[in-house]
Amino acid sequence: MHRTKIKVAEDALDANTTIAHANRADFDRDGVAVVNLMSAPGAGKTTLLERALADRGETRVGVLEGDVQGSLDADRLSALHIPVVQLNTDGGFGGECHLDANMVRSAIPDLTLSEIDLLVIENVGNLVCPAEFRVGEDAKAMVCSVTEGEDKPLKYPLMFRTCEVVVVNKIDLLAHLDFDLDLLLHNIDAVNPGVRVLQTSARTGEGVDAFREWLLAVGKESPVAA
Amino acid sequence: MHELSVSSAIVDTALKHAAGRRISVVSLRLGKLRQVVPDSLSFYFEIVGRDTLCEGARLELELIDALMSCGSCGHEWDPAPQPEHGDVAGEFPGAGLTLPQFRCPECEAAGASVVRGDELEVESIEVEDEAETTPPEPSASRPVPSGPATRPWQDQGEVPTPVSNSGS
């Protein structure tokens, strides 16, 4: 049996990248800035958004909520009277653990992009996979809570490296933890030198103003995108 | 984990280029900065390839060491954790950590760029020359779905129409 070697030289995630670019084009056409918000499960993404978006001023914000199952997060954010679309990834065998460009594209018809200035895509809670899949965003942000330990940047470098901002959340708990904040900041800088780091407590509101300012500035300054 | 999605994407890419011929080898360039576990990838590759022209194909992985380039001084280095880079014992005794080095070890500037190490590329495939007369439908028979049921971009060059797979 004769065999032929065929040169391919194609990125394996090329299909996802193509769709991400198509998403980007749709967002650009309607002037929508897009943030891909990621973290481990339970780091505080939804609570931080509830807190930050409550005082959004004139900016028209929409949220695309990604979860394996259910609409709990979407229901919470709907209370802010902003358009929220829930994406569930549980089709098939147990569900995808991240949002990809195709999933995001499938939700675009449910959003009226012309009536939104900022779209926050709250990704599935996961420190591994979301970092690998671009979905058409302007910027990636991640939330890292102080209850997760100082070593997370070393264990999950890709997540920390691909973000424009790292939000260290739950700082109201520092007094109750044997947690070395300086060591976390040192480790974050080791994997993403010079990255912007914010410290917040979504519970008390401390530091949330800075996160809101960052969110509302995405797409307005240049360059923000990775 | 996402090795399932990645394997599925690799098989799709290989099938597209095989154009109806049976695949015997898929060669993948995998950079060490990617968070893809090689054993996991091989495992899912075998599963995803079943009942397609990729069934039984060998997945060859070329692992690529990372290389960073400093935008300030031009120095190039491998950012992988090295014992001499990562000794933080002095500052944080007992931490026992070995750090990767993404800040330039020469001038300590941030903002270095990746020269090598981010690859996740199907480099080549090997096919058997005789086209199968009735190639199996690649997407219909794939046992483990990892996204939409169809791959419209196999028609080349079109912006894909999304297939809704949300529960809502």
Side-chain angles (χ1 to χ4, degrees), chain B residues 70-158:
Chain B
C70 179
S72 294
C73 74
H75 181 67
E76 293 190 340
W77 74 98
D78 183 342
Q82 310 283 341
E84 60 269 23
H85 289 169
D87 183 8
V88 293
E91 247 182 283
F92 299 101
L97 301 169
T98 308
L99 295 180
Q101 182 86 15
F102 286 97
R103 200 176 266 282
C104 179
E106 284 293 307
C107 71
E108 298 195 1
S113 56
V114 177
V115 178
R116 283 196 300 273
D118 263 350
E119 297 84 352
L120 183 57
E121 184 191 76
V122 178
E123 206 262 325
S124 66
I125 60 173
E126 241 178 63
V127 298
E128 291 168 10
D129 282 343
E130 312 269 320
E132 308 255 313
T133 47
T134 51
E137 248 323 294
S139 54
S141 60
R142 181 165 303 122
V144 186
S146 64
T150 59
R151 299 284 193 270
W153 52 86
Q154 283 180 340
D155 293 328
Q156 302 296 332
E158 289 181 26

Side-chain angles (χ1 to χ4, degrees), chain A residues 172-201:
Chain A
D172 56 296
L173 293 177
L174 283 173
H176 306 286
L177 302 170
D178 290 329
F179 177 80
D180 189 333
L181 183 58
D182 286 334
L183 180 55
L184 173 68
L185 298 176
H186 184 89
N187 290 340
I188 291 172
D189 190 78
V191 302
N192 194 342
V195 69
R196 180 127 183 238
V197 178
L198 302 175
Q199 296 179 27
T200 60
S201 164

Side-chain angles (χ1 to χ4, degrees), chain A residues 1-16 18-19 22 85-93 96-98 100 102-103 105-106 109-110 126-129 131-133 150-151 153-159 161 180 182-183 186-187 189-194, chain B residues 1-2 5-6 9-10 13 16-18 21 24-25 27-28 33-36 68 88 91-92 95 97-103 109-111 114 118-130 143-148 153 158-168:
Chain A
M1 175 65 67
H2 193 257
R3 287 179 179 166
T4 304
K5 187 166 177 174
I6 302 175
K7 179 134 181 102
V8 173
E10 192 172 298
D11 189 287
L13 298 183
D14 198 58
N16 184 76
T18 300
I19 303 176
V85 173
Q86 177 77 56
L87 263 175
N88 289 123
T89 69
D90 60 349
F93 291 82
E96 284 287 4
C97 50
H98 60 274
D100 64 21
N102 192 51
M103 290 177 203
R105 189 159 191 77
S106 72
D110 295 326
N126 180 343
L127 280 181
V128 181
C129 317
E132 293 266 22
F133 296 89
E150 304 92 346
D151 59 2
L154 307 184
K155 291 186 173 179
Y156 303 95
L158 190 65
M159 171 63 68
R161 269 181 57 226
D180 189 333
D182 286 334
L183 180 55
H186 184 89
N187 290 340
D189 190 78
V191 302
N192 194 342
Chain B
M1 272 304 185
H2 68 299
S5 296
V6 173
I10 292 169
T13 303
K16 180 175 79 179
H17 288 268
R21 291 167 291 184
S24 46
V25 179
S27 296
L28 187 79
L33 290 175
R34 299 305 288 248
Q35 281 186 168
V36 175
M68 306 295 294
V88 293
E91 247 182 283
F92 299 101
L97 301 169
T98 308
L99 295 180
Q101 182 86 15
F102 286 97
R103 200 176 266 282
V114 177
D118 263 350
E119 297 84 352
L120 183 57
E121 184 191 76
V122 178
E123 206 262 325
S124 66
I125 60 173
E126 241 178 63
V127 298
E128 291 168 10
D129 282 343
E130 312 269 320
V144 186
S146 64
W153 52 86
E158 289 181 26
V159 170
T161 6
V163 174
S164 175
N165 60 357
S166 72
S168 51

Side-chain angles (χ1 to χ4, degrees), chain A residues 10-13 98 128-129 132-133, chain B residues 1-13 26-32 34-50 54 57-64 118-123 144 146:
Chain A
E10 192 172 298
D11 189 287
L13 298 183
H98 60 274
V128 181
C129 317
E132 293 266 22
F133 296 89
Chain B
M1 272 304 185
H2 68 299
E3 280 81 2
L4 177 54
S5 296
V6 173
S7 301
S8 184
I10 292 169
V11 168
D12 282 346
T13 303
V26 177
S27 296
L28 187 79
R29 299 177 72 238
L30 179 59
K32 289 193 179 169
R34 299 305 288 248
Q35 281 186 168
V36 175
V37 177
D39 284 351
S40 209
L41 195 63
S42 299
F43 175 79
Y44 284 114
F45 177 79
E46 191 271 320
I47 290 175
V48 175
R50 288 178 199 164
C54 213
R58 189 172 76 248
L59 179 66
E60 286 181 349
L61 295 175
E62 181 193 349
L63 298 180
I64 299 171
D118 263 350
E119 297 84 352
L120 183 57
E121 184 191 76
V122 178
E123 206 262 325
V144 186
S146 64

